[in-house]
Structures are given as C-alpha cells and as structure tokens.
Amino acid sequence: MAATVEAVIAALRVTLEEAQKSREASWKVEAVNRWIGQLPGSWSGRWRRLVLKSDASGNARRDELVAHVRAVIAFLETNRQQIAQSRKWWPLRRRWPANSPIANAPVAAPASSSARPVNLLRVRKPMPGIH
C-alpha cells in the first residue's frame, strides 16, 4: 500500500503543476479525483473526505482545486507511515480468526422432516384482479 500512496502523491503533484500553469478559470474535478480514487477506501471509507466536490457541471474553480490538491498532498506525505501500516478497509481474509469462539461454534444440523419439499416453481399463484 505504500507504493500506492507514493504513486498517488506523484500523480497529484503533476496535476498540481498543470493546474498552476493553466490560465483557465475552472477545471474538471475528475482530473484530481481519479488519482485520489486509487487509494483503497477513498470513496466510501477512511479517505472519502479527500475527494474534491464539484458543481453541477463537474467543475471546480482553479484556485479551489489547487488549494485542495496541496492539502491532499500534505496530508498524504505527513501520514505516509501510518497509511502504509494500516490494514485494508475491507480485508480479503476471513473476518474472524481461526481460534475465535465464533469461528469454532458448532453449526446446528437442519431438522429432518418427513414432509416433502415444496417446488416453488409449481405453486399456483392467484392472478391479479381475477379473485
């Protein structure tokens, strides 16, 4: 994950340089958010506040964009060590460790019944408006 953070910082620096060189009054927010979106959990998790909000047309003023990108770069550089050590937002491994009492809890066997199972595809359903 440290390599991902370094790559996002590098991409944001390039975007910052381009925005500072530009004379356009507004920029597409997508230019920044695509790089912030590379951080795991950035849209719904721990870094969702780093995503830059846009107006109805998907733009933001250039000075707001520059200030936001500077702040994001400073945040990522300052917290680089903590970000690299933190675990993923949604871990791919099992939620409970193998020695957990929840993982080792016995599963109740289904009660056997002598009734025949019902085929739900063959059950007749009343037609709407006829009954």
Side-chain angles (χ1 to χ4, degrees):
M1 183 166 5
T4 304
V5 173
E6 293 297 326
V8 169
I9 290 172
L12 287 174
R13 283 188 180 143
V14 171
T15 305
L16 177 64
E17 289 174 11
E18 292 297 320
Q20 289 174 337
K21 290 178 188 177
S22 173
R23 295 288 177 209
E24 298 202 18
S26 64
W27 266 59
K28 288 285 186 190
V29 174
E30 180 187 6
V32 175
N33 288 343
R34 89 176 105 208
W35 303 117
I36 295 172
Q38 299 299 315
L39 296 169
S42 62
W43 293 97
S44 60
R46 60 175 95 125
W47 294 312
R48 70 179 176 269
R49 299 201 192 277
L50 296 181
V51 176
L52 181 61
K53 304 294 183 209
S54 66
D55 59 5
S57 61
N59 294 329
R61 289 192 350 236
R62 186 175 62 89
D63 57 340
E64 289 178 0
L65 184 126
V66 168
H68 183 81
V69 172
R70 283 182 183 162
V72 169
I73 289 172
F75 175 79
L76 292 175
E77 286 177 343
T78 303
N79 296 314
R80 185 178 296 167
Q81 296 299 324
Q82 293 171 342
I83 293 169
Q85 294 171 357
S86 64
R87 56 179 206 161
K88 295 179 182 176
W89 185 253
W90 288 286
L92 297 176
R93 65 184 186 281
R94 291 178 55 190
R95 182 174 294 276
W96 307 108
N99 58 359
S100 168
I102 295 174
N104 296 331
V107 177
S112 62
S113 63
S114 59
R116 223 170 115 193
V118 176
N119 184 352
L120 295 177
L121 297 175
R122 297 192 46 96
V123 173
R124 294 184 184 219
K125 298 175 185 166
M127 294 184 68
I130 295 183
H131 49 88

